[in-house]
Amino acid sequence: MDRTSETSRTAGPDRPGAPARAAGHDEPAIGTARRKRRRVVLPLVLVAAVGGAAALGATRPWDRGSSAPGQPALGHGTVAVERGSLSSGIQVAGALAYDASTPVVASGRGTFTALPAVGSVVKAGGRLYEVDGLPVVLMTGERPLWRDLGPGVEDGPDVRQLKRNLVALGHADGLGLAVDEKYTAGTAVAVKRWQKALGVKQTGKVAFGSVVMVPQRAVRVDEVGVRLGAPVGAAEALTVSGTDLVAVVQPAENQLSRFKPDGKVEVRLAEGGTVQGRIRSLIRGGGGDGGADSGGGRQKTVVTVVLDDQRAARRAGPSSVTVDVVGDTATDALVVPVTALLALDGGGYGVNVVTGTTTRLVKVRLGLVADARAQITGDVKSGDRVVIPT
C-alpha cells in the first residue's frame, strides 16, 4: 500500500462490537486505526507577517484515545485548504520624525537678545539666534568652534571648516581661497565680505560664540530651551533637527535579522498611502526608556529609514507609521495551518485529508512557512478539508 495515500477507517455501527454513533452526528470520523508509528505535529519556528516573529512549539501526538492517562482526549476539527498568497515579510510599528535631533550649546558670553520660533527653518549662513544684539550664524561642520579665529591664529581643522563655509556661501569668489587649515590674508578678506553681508563690523576675525556648527546644511528648530534676557553660559539653548522626515522603528531582537543596511522597505502612512524607503542605520541603545527595553535591561536597536518621497511625508507630518520589510512571497499557493502538518516516520510531512467518513494520510512537500501557515504541494487541492487539533 502506498504510504503517501493511506485510509484509516472508523468502526461503524454495522460492525460487531463497534460503538454506535450519536444521533444527528454528521462530522466525519477522524482516523482511529492505529499504525506502528505515531504522527506528530511538526515543531516549527514561524516568522509572523504582522507584528514580528511568532513560534509554535511541539504538540502532543494525536490519535483518538492517545492522550496520557488522566488527561482529557485531544479534540479535532477540520479546515479547508485555501489557495492564495503567503508572505514572510514582517510589519513593525514606528513613527515619522524629523531627522538627526541635535542640541545646540550657546558658547561665549553675553545675553540672549533674539531667539528663533519653534518650527522655523534656518539655512547655513542664516541667523540662528542673537547675543548682545549681534547675530549668531549657522554654518555646516562636524565640530564646534572653540576659539577666536583671525590672522596669526595657529593652523587647525576649525579654520578648514570656516573656509569651507565661506566658499560654499560665495564669500570667497575670485579669491582662489584654498580650503585648508591656514588662516591666510585671503581668509580674512572672505570673512570681511561675510560680515558686510550680515551688517556687522568688518574685522576679518571670527569671535568665539558667533558661529554654531551643525552637520546639516539646514535645520528645523524643535525646541527653545532658554528665555530672552538669559545669560549665555554653555547652555543648551536650542534643539534642532534636519528638515527631512525619516521613519524610526525599534524592532524586537528576533526581528533584527530582517533589517539590512541599505535594505528596501515600504512605509505605510497613518493617513493612507505608502512611501518607499531605505534603511540608513541601525544604532544600539536608542530605547525610549533610557535606551533599555523591558527584557532584562537590554538596550533596543533604533532603525532609521530615509524616505524617497519627502512631499508625501511632509503631508503626513510627524505621526505613526508601519514599516513593512518584504520577505519571500508565494502566490497562487495551496495553504494550510501549520497545525495540520504531521511529521512522518520516514521523513517529510503529511496532512490528514477528510474523504466522506474517513481520512487519508497524504504526504506533502513544504514551501514557504509564515504567519502560522504553510505552503504545501501534493495530492491535495483547494477546498479539501484537513484535520487540525482543537
Side-chain angles (χ1 to χ4, degrees):
M1 180 179 294
D2 186 356
R3 292 179 57 191
T4 66
S5 180
E6 172 183 306
T7 301
S8 300
R9 298 192 178 275
T10 305
D14 56 337
R15 297 177 57 186
R21 290 167 56 185
H25 190 286
D26 57 2
E27 284 191 13
I30 305 303
T32 58
R34 295 176 175 273
R35 291 182 55 84
K36 290 182 180 180
R37 69 173 182 268
R38 285 185 174 179
R39 302 183 290 277
V40 182
V41 176
L42 172 67
L44 291 172
V45 176
L46 306 171
V47 178
V50 179
L56 278 183
T59 69
R60 292 177 295 177
W62 72 269
D63 213 349
R64 197 172 205 119
S66 65
S67 56
Q71 297 291 330
L74 186 63
H76 307 96
T78 64
V79 66
V81 178
E82 297 178 347
R83 184 174 292 278
S85 298
L86 193 62
S87 174
S88 63
I90 61 173
Q91 299 174 334
V92 182
L96 284 186
Y98 286 102
D99 196 14
S101 180
T102 305
V104 173
V105 176
S107 302
R109 296 180 179 178
T111 300
F112 289 104
T113 52
L115 294 167
V118 171
S120 60
V121 173
V122 181
K123 296 181 179 179
R127 301 172 181 231
L128 187 58
Y129 55 88
E130 186 181 279
V131 173
D132 291 346
L134 298 176
V136 175
V137 177
L138 182 76
M139 287 190 177
T140 304
E142 295 295 332
R143 64 176 67 204
L145 299 186
W146 66 88
R147 56 179 177 165
D148 294 334
L149 297 178
V153 72
E154 190 173 323
D155 297 352
D158 50 347
V159 177
R160 180 188 295 275
Q161 277 190 159
L162 174 65
K163 295 175 78 171
R164 183 181 296 116
N165 278 272
L166 293 170
V167 170
L169 294 171
H171 300 301
D173 291 351
L175 297 177
L177 191 66
V179 179
D180 56 23
E181 297 187 352
K182 299 181 180 297
Y183 203 103
T184 60
T187 308
V189 172
V191 168
K192 288 180 179 180
R193 291 179 179 179
W194 167 57
Q195 290 170 331
K196 182 178 181 179
L198 288 175
V200 300
K201 187 176 180 180
Q202 300 169 43
T203 64
K205 300 177 182 179
V206 180
F208 174 59
S210 63
V211 170
V212 169
M213 292 284 183
V214 296
Q216 303 95 327
R217 291 196 57 80
V219 298
R220 177 185 184 275
V221 178
D222 293 334
E223 184 180 357
V224 178
V226 295
R227 296 183 178 183
L228 285 176
V232 174
E236 287 191 8
L238 312 171
T239 301
V240 299
S241 63
T243 56
D244 285 347
L245 286 159
V246 295
V248 180
V249 296
Q250 292 184 330
E253 286 292 319
N254 58 1
Q255 297 172 328
L256 279 176
S257 63
R258 309 300 297 277
F259 290 84
K260 308 292 186 184
D262 291 325
K264 299 292 185 180
V265 299
E266 186 174 80
V267 179
R268 291 193 285 128
L269 306 175
E271 66 172 14
T274 59
V275 178
Q276 301 302 310
R278 175 182 59 82
I279 297 172
R280 184 183 67 191
S281 62
L282 295 88
I283 300 175
R284 174 76 74 178
D289 185 16
D293 65 16
S294 58
R298 179 176 294 176
Q299 290 183 318
K300 285 188 175 181
T301 297
V302 175
V303 178
T304 301
V305 176
V306 293
L307 306 175
D308 293 348
D309 188 350
Q310 279 297 312
R311 183 177 299 177
R314 290 192 183 104
R315 283 197 301 267
S319 55
S320 60
V321 295
T322 301
V323 175
D324 294 350
V325 183
V326 179
D328 296 327
T329 300
T331 58
D332 195 31
L334 291 177
V335 179
V336 297
V338 294
T339 51
L341 298 173
L342 307 174
L344 304 180
D345 285 350
Y349 312 103
V351 293
N352 261 335
V353 179
V354 177
T355 305
T357 59
T358 64
T359 62
R360 61 189 178 95
L361 178 63
V362 177
K363 188 172 183 178
V364 296
R365 292 182 298 278
L366 286 186
L368 182 63
V369 178
D371 194 22
R373 300 190 299 161
Q375 176 191 11
I376 61 171
T377 54
D379 186 17
V380 182
K381 64 182 182 298
S382 177
D384 283 348
R385 299 199 71 83
V386 294
V387 176
I388 58 171
T390 59

